[in-house]
Every structure is written in structure tokens, then in C-alpha cells.
Amino acid sequence: MTHGIAAIGRDGYRTQIEVGSRHRLVADEPSSLGGADTGPAPYDLLIAALGACTAITLRMYANLKKWPLESVEVKLHLLRDGDAMAVERSLRIVGLDEAQKARLAEIAERTPVTLTLKSGVRIRTTVA
């Protein structure tokens, strides 16, 4: 499906990330956690992935249906919910009627990243 590499050296928490075949990102921790805040923190990247997937999927669906969608804004908040983590997601949809907005809200619950996060992901770790 997809692949990535994250590499960190000895100086701070700045991490160089390569994803896909040519995209480079930087992650870091905020200064309050000992980082230099040179990039988003890991949880910020997680929320960004969910937001991007939601917006893109809703745009694709509206295009498929030939709906006059002007814009979608996806607001996300990651928070603790007891012992677990939870995401609050709010959609601001412009250009559609209430029935179309309701349908996009249903679609948002089934985007690929949403389903991955809801189902959990097995992680197998090896040492090279």
C-alpha cells in the first residue's frame, strides 16, 4: 500500500520523514516537551492524516455525485476519553443542501483512515 521512513539523530527530537516515493516531512515535539517545534508532533500528523482523508473523500464523493460542493472544513480534536483516546470531528460543508450534508456526514464515518483508526492496526516490529 504505502511506505515511509522516519529517521532521528542525536540532536533533539527533530525527525526527518519520507513517505510515498518523494514526499519529505519534518516532525518534532513542542518546546514544552523538549523539542524545537520545527514540525508537527506525531499526534498532529495523525490528526492531519484523518482530516486530509476526510476532506479528500468527501470531495471525491461530491464530484462523483456532481454536487455543487464549494468547500469542506474538517476540524479535529484528539483528546483523552477515560483510559482511551477519542477524536472529535466537526464538518463545515458549504454549497450543499441539508440532505447532501447529512450524506457526507455518513460518508465521513467510512473514510479509509477513519475505518483504520476505528478498527485498530496490528503493528509488527523487527530489528534490522
Side-chain angles (χ1 to χ4, degrees):
M1 256 182 93
T2 191
H3 64 281
I5 299 170
I8 191 170
R10 300 180 126 200
D11 298 325
Y13 299 128
R14 182 183 169 96
T15 302
Q16 300 291 330
I17 303 167
E18 294 181 26
V19 290
S21 60
R22 63 180 181 187
H23 301 288
R24 289 175 170 50
L25 307 166
V26 171
D28 200 349
E29 290 290 347
S31 54
S32 63
L33 294 177
D37 202 20
T38 60
Y43 275 127
D44 295 333
L45 293 169
L46 179 71
I47 287 296
L50 178 59
C53 185
T54 302
I56 290 167
T57 301
L58 298 185
R59 167 53 68 196
M60 287 176 164
Y61 189 84
N63 288 353
L64 180 69
K65 294 292 189 177
K66 296 184 174 33
W67 288 351
L69 176 64
E70 291 178 29
S71 65
V72 174
E73 180 181 87
V74 183
K75 288 188 179 180
L76 299 154
H77 186 222
L78 182 68
L79 52 103
R80 290 219 177 266
D81 185 13
D83 291 336
M85 300 294 282
V87 175
E88 291 180 352
R89 176 172 49 192
S90 174
L91 305 174
R92 185 173 163 272
I93 300 167
V94 177
L96 302 182
D97 64 33
E98 293 307 311
Q100 292 167 326
K101 289 178 183 181
R103 180 65 179 143
L104 287 188
E106 292 173 4
I107 297 297
E109 292 300 320
R110 296 193 308 277
T111 70
V113 173
T114 298
L115 294 176
T116 298
L117 291 173
K118 285 182 175 183
S119 70
V121 178
R122 287 189 308 265
I123 300 173
R124 294 180 287 269
T125 302
T126 61
V127 177

